[in-house]
Amino acid sequence: MLLFYRGRLYCYKIWENPEGNRIGKPTRRVRITDCNFIKGHGISIGSEMSGGVSDVLVRDCQAGPLLHGLQIKGTKQRGGYVKNVRVLDCQLQQITIFSKLPYNNDGQAAPEIPTFSDYVFNNLDLSSSKQKGPAIDIHGFEDPNHKLRNVIFSDVLLPANATVSVNDAEDVIFTNVLTKDESKPTYTLKDSKNIRY
């Protein structure tokens, strides 16, 4: 589902448990291009994604001071997956991946924890961000079989003194991720492995 309000796209959702787990119908091949997001909660994929979401392209978009920037989110009760997401050539202010949300999980939990995997973030300008906290803030699931996996950040410009936080993730690569003063950001890692920067 694409949610529009007063001409603005706010979020992308597909099913929630338990209906989403029972029906199991995924959403695939989504393109979001040439959009200007002025305000709101964020450019959101999830958290109602029990049927699964894959093959999403976000390209040539701009976002103002949204609450969570571009976000991929879910809870461990929802099940499903978000995979094969590409975010290219965008001007954003924050990237967040959430796995712990204080949401009503709408009944019986899914039999499996969700999977977040295979994301590419390339040629992004976050340098105008005035957000508090990390400019890139990613959290996989704590279960060792459901860590966030296979993520690439390349050619990303961050504000001065930026921080990047990586939690419960595996195989995350940061290439040419620099602040406006051509310094590397400060990285904080927790319960993660194979993180390269």
Side-chain angles (χ1 to χ4, degrees):
M1 173 179 72
L2 294 176
L3 176 62
F4 285 88
Y5 177 68
R6 294 184 179 176
R8 298 190 184 103
L9 173 67
Y10 277 85
C11 58
Y12 182 75
K13 297 176 179 285
I14 179 66
W15 301 102
E16 58 185 327
N17 61 305
E19 290 82 6
N21 299 315
R22 178 174 51 82
I23 296 169
K25 184 176 180 180
T27 292
R28 296 175 295 205
R29 296 184 293 276
V30 177
R31 302 292 180 264
I32 302 169
T33 61
D34 300 293
C35 293
N36 185 11
F37 301 89
I38 300 171
K39 62 180 180 178
H41 199 265
I43 306 168
S44 303
I45 302 173
S47 63
E48 295 168 12
M49 32 61 78
S50 298
V53 179
S54 67
D55 305 306
V56 177
L57 171 66
V58 181
R59 186 167 203 163
D60 294 316
C61 291
Q62 296 182 28
L66 309 180
L67 183 60
H68 294 294
L70 184 141
Q71 59 180 341
I72 299 169
K73 57 182 182 172
T75 75
K76 67 179 183 179
Q77 290 87 359
R78 287 271 164 94
Y81 55 83
V82 178
K83 63 183 181 180
N84 298 330
V85 175
R86 292 181 298 149
V87 181
L88 312 175
D89 308 321
C90 292
Q91 185 175 0
L92 307 171
Q93 296 211 8
Q94 188 178 30
I95 295 170
T96 54
I97 300 174
F98 292 139
S99 62
K100 293 182 180 179
L101 299 168
Y103 289 176
N104 176 353
N105 280 294
D106 310 301
Q108 184 177 0
E112 290 285 336
I113 295 173
T115 300
F116 287 171
S117 68
D118 303 299
Y119 302 156
V120 173
F121 299 90
N122 177 252
N123 193 30
L124 305 180
D125 184 354
L126 281 69
S127 63
S128 65
S129 175
K130 296 178 176 62
Q131 301 279 8
K132 295 180 180 178
I136 299 173
D137 192 5
I138 59 179
H139 296 258
F141 295 93
E142 293 177 356
D143 185 292
N145 295 319
H146 292 268
K147 303 285 188 182
L148 171 67
R149 287 186 169 88
N150 302 327
V151 182
I152 297 173
F153 290 88
S154 59
D155 300 321
V156 179
L157 184 62
L158 301 175
N161 303 312
T163 61
V164 173
S165 178
V166 181
N167 297 273
D168 294 304
E170 296 180 1
D171 302 314
V172 182
I173 300 172
F174 296 87
T175 303
N176 196 31
V177 176
L178 299 172
T179 66
K180 288 193 292 188
D181 57 6
E182 299 185 353
S183 300
K184 283 191 174 185
T186 300
Y187 288 87
T188 61
L189 311 178
K190 181 180 177 183
D191 297 325
S192 300
K193 65 181 183 180
N194 298 331
I195 312 300
R196 288 181 279 166
Y197 56 90

